[in-house]
Amino acid sequence: MGAGDPRGERRVRAALGRIGLGLLLLGAGATAARAHVGGSTGYASITVSRSTVRYTLTLPTATLPSDLAEALRLAQTGSELNRDKLLDVLRRYIVLRANGTRCEPGPGQVVPSAFDATSFTMQLDFACGSAVRDLVVEDNIFDVLGPDHHTLAKVETDGETRELAFAPESREARVPIGARAAGRAETSFFKLGVEHILTGYDHLLFLGALLLRGGAFLSLFKIITAFTVAHSITLALAVLGVVTIPGRIVEPLIAASIVWVALGNMFGHSRPWDRLAVTFLFGLVHGLGFADALSQLALSGWPLVRALVGFNLGVELGQAVAVGVALPALFYVGSLKRATVMVRAASFAVAVVGA
């Protein structure tokens, strides 16, 4: 298709319109789910005490299926039947095996009692029959909460803490008691980091908006590097507890960053250094959004370092994949006669999604 072919340009503009509609639908879907992790996230604490394993799971209330949401509401009024219905989710879908033998689920409790809480916690004790030397954790709760759910877990035993990440494609983990299992932890959080960026629609939209303006390869490389360095800094600071900013502030700022950059593509004529400064500033904000996936695990020491390094490397790989897919298309669009109109139209679609 030549640059001066009017029929070719019409086809490109029509395709752009479909892309814009797709972005709007994507934005509507992203508001229904939690954008930073592509779905819901549960936080599990698994504590081993001789022959007993206490499994504690905190879930967001907003993403519960309707039947479980109703059971939670009734459990908060004191209904023992509905409390047991919630605990049965753990009894059926969380499987623990100690020394090759399945542990039996026992008594448990559900907290909190507040009706306006954004999350709730279930706690269940498993009896394993003998002192736990080798623990296998199988998490099948995705069959209830959907394929976009993730569970981040920490296993505490004998003064040690291990960190694990469960997903529909990685449901089982083995934890040798008294032996280090750092490799499994690093791998699971690396995979989580890749999924986090590739299903984090807000981060992908921001990255796309940055790249839409185009430019020489070196200029785009500097922008990507500025974003990477910035979000790596705040990711580490937030997870380490040095910086603490509530999600109700961070999430609107992330949305605002998408709108700002998209509008800048449409109306701005900023210098390269100005674009780098804006990218770095908003990259700091996005790093705080990334940190939310780890900070609620309350890890410390070496387990925190392992999880942080693995997760951040996964985020960087996912980002590299996204950029590698986008750049050829952007370079092609930049070569077309109506490239400026197309970039402005696509930026408008991105701005609407961000808004």
Side-chain angles (χ1 to χ4, degrees):
M1 180 178 64
D5 183 354
R7 289 178 300 175
E9 289 183 16
R10 285 197 295 271
R11 286 197 296 269
V12 171
R13 286 197 294 272
L16 180 64
R18 290 192 292 271
I19 292 172
L21 177 60
L23 286 170
L24 294 177
L25 294 174
L26 175 63
T31 58
R34 194 173 175 202
H36 297 314
V37 289
S40 61
T41 303
Y43 297 92
S45 175
I46 305 169
T47 305
V48 179
S49 179
R50 295 183 63 83
S51 62
T52 301
V53 179
R54 172 163 289 179
Y55 188 95
T56 304
L57 179 64
T58 299
L59 294 173
T61 57
T63 56
L64 287 178
S66 57
D67 58 333
L68 292 183
E70 178 64 11
L72 176 61
R73 185 186 69 82
L74 295 174
Q76 290 169 334
T77 66
S79 169
E80 294 291 328
L81 179 63
N82 284 279
R83 186 206 66 172
D84 285 339
K85 182 176 181 179
L86 292 169
L87 292 174
D88 280 342
V89 173
L90 296 187
R91 294 186 178 110
R92 293 179 58 189
Y93 295 99
I94 302 299
V95 179
L96 303 182
R97 297 184 184 88
N99 316 323
T101 303
R102 182 165 178 167
C103 302
E104 294 298 323
Q109 59 178 327
V110 178
V111 292
S113 58
F115 286 94
D116 59 348
T118 58
S119 64
F120 76 104
T121 299
M122 297 181 289
Q123 187 177 87
L124 196 66
D125 288 334
F126 289 79
C128 300
S130 60
V132 180
R133 301 184 306 276
D134 183 86
L135 180 66
V136 174
V137 182
E138 182 181 338
D139 187 340
N140 296 306
I141 204 165
F142 317 99
D143 296 338
V144 178
L145 301 179
D148 288 335
H149 179 78
H150 297 77
T151 299
L152 304 185
K154 62 178 179 180
V155 182
E156 297 178 300
T157 176
D158 295 336
E160 294 183 1
T161 300
R162 323 281 175 70
E163 60 284 352
L164 303 169
F166 296 95
E169 66 279 1
S170 54
R171 300 182 176 217
E172 187 174 294
R174 177 176 172 269
V175 183
I177 306 303
R180 297 194 175 274
R184 171 65 174 84
E186 291 165 355
T187 301
S188 62
F189 275 82
F190 176 82
K191 291 179 180 177
L192 181 68
V194 174
E195 293 175 4
H196 185 101
I197 186 68
L198 293 182
T199 61
Y201 309 118
D202 47 2
H203 301 301
L204 290 178
L205 280 172
F206 179 74
L207 194 58
L210 288 174
L211 299 178
L212 269 175
R213 281 278 292 275
F217 179 81
L218 180 60
S219 175
L220 294 176
F221 177 78
K222 289 179 180 178
I223 288 175
I224 296 168
T225 301
F227 181 59
T228 298
V229 171
H231 73 62
S232 296
I233 290 172
T234 45
L235 169 62
L237 291 177
V239 172
L240 292 172
V242 178
V243 175
T244 303
I245 300 178
R248 66 179 182 274
I249 296 176
V250 173
E251 292 185 17
L253 284 177
I254 290 175
S257 72
I258 298 170
V259 176
W260 181 279
V261 174
L263 292 179
N265 291 344
M266 297 169 62
F267 306 112
H269 299 281
S270 58
R271 296 168 297 180
W273 280 108
D274 293 335
R275 290 187 68 197
L276 281 177
V278 169
T279 300
F280 187 84
L281 176 63
F282 283 130
L284 295 175
V285 177
H286 281 251
L288 296 173
F290 291 139
D292 187 55
L294 293 183
S295 58
Q296 295 192 50
L297 269 182
L299 296 170
S300 62
W302 184 241
L304 175 60
V305 173
R306 289 199 304 258
L308 180 59
V309 170
F311 182 79
N312 197 45
L313 289 175
V315 167
E316 302 315 324
L317 177 62
Q319 179 177 293
V321 170
V323 171
V325 170
L327 280 183
L330 292 173
F331 282 137
Y332 171 72
V333 169
S335 69
L336 299 177
K337 184 177 180 180
R338 305 282 291 180
T340 300
V341 174
M342 295 172 66
V343 168
R344 287 179 177 173
S347 296
F348 173 77
V350 172
V352 171
V353 173

